[in-house]
Amino acid sequence: MAENLLVPAIVHFNLGSKKLSITDYQMVFTIRNGSRYVEAIDAKGRRAYALQKGGEVIQEADVKVSVLKTPDEKFDDEIKKLKKALKATTENDPRKYVEDMLFSFATSDDRPFAHVKFQGYVSEVTSNVDPDTALQEITADIEVYDPTTFAIKK
C-alpha cells in the first residue's frame, strides 16, 4: 500500500455561498477526448502506432449528495437549502439557479488535500427510507451547468 495514500475522511460541500453538512456523496466524472492509438506501417514496413487525436471533448458527470433526516432535526436546514435550490430551477434565467459548487476532501484530521469546483445546479431531490435505521435520506442530483468551470485542485 502506498505510504502517502490520502483517503477522504471528511468532505465539505458548498452550494454557492452556503456550506451544507452532508452525510453521503457520490461523484463520478468522465472526460473523454476521443484520442486513440491506430496501427500503421512505417517507411521500413514495420508495424508502428500513431496517436490519433480526438475531435471533441465529451464530459459526463454523476454527482449526488445525501442528507439524513434525523429525529433531532440536525440536518433540516440542509434539506431546506437543497429543496430551495431545486425550486429555483423553475426560473428561466440560469443566473437565478446556477451556483458555484465546491467539494473539499480532507483527511481525518481535517487537512484538505483536494478540491472539486464547478458551476452547477440541483436537478432533482428524492427521498427514501433506510429499512435498517428507519431514517429518511434526502438525495439531491447535481448537474454541471458549465463544463468549462470544472476544476480539480490540490
Side-chain angles (χ1 to χ4, degrees):
M1 182 184 290
E3 287 180 29
N4 59 356
L5 179 65
L6 296 174
V7 177
I10 301 170
V11 177
H12 300 286
F13 173 59
N14 286 25
L15 175 67
S17 61
K18 304 170 205 96
K19 183 176 180 180
L20 274 74
S21 298
I22 56 175
T23 53
D24 197 12
Y25 68 97
Q26 171 186 319
M27 297 178 66
V28 179
F29 294 100
T30 305
I31 301 171
R32 293 187 302 263
N33 68 1
S35 296
R36 62 189 179 107
Y37 283 98
V38 292
E39 191 173 332
I41 303 293
D42 68 8
K44 295 183 180 179
R46 295 179 297 199
R47 185 179 296 177
Y49 295 91
L51 179 63
Q52 179 183 25
K53 292 186 177 182
E56 65 180 342
V57 175
I58 299 170
Q59 179 176 308
E60 297 172 5
D62 181 17
V63 181
K64 297 178 188 323
V65 295
S66 298
V67 179
L68 282 179
K69 185 164 179 61
T70 57
D72 62 2
E73 301 177 355
K74 181 179 177 182
F75 297 107
D76 282 5
D77 283 343
E78 278 74 6
I79 294 168
K80 287 176 188 173
K81 289 173 188 173
L82 290 171
K83 288 182 177 179
K84 182 179 178 185
L86 175 65
K87 187 177 180 185
T89 60
T90 59
E91 299 285 338
N92 288 332
D93 186 0
R95 290 177 289 181
K96 294 185 178 178
Y97 62 85
V98 172
E99 301 270 5
D100 289 329
M101 306 282 177
L102 174 66
F103 288 87
S104 296
F105 302 95
T107 57
S108 59
D109 57 352
D110 206 10
R111 285 193 338 237
F113 63 87
H115 307 280
V116 174
K117 183 179 181 179
F118 57 90
Q119 284 185 341
Y121 61 93
V122 175
S123 64
E124 184 178 1
V125 175
T126 58
S127 68
N128 57 345
V129 176
D130 185 321
D132 296 330
T133 63
L135 293 176
Q136 185 179 19
E137 182 177 48
I138 309 299
T139 302
D141 290 359
I142 298 174
E143 299 293 330
V144 176
Y145 176 75
D146 183 357
T148 62
T149 63
F150 178 78
I152 301 174
K153 295 186 178 187
K154 191 174 179 183

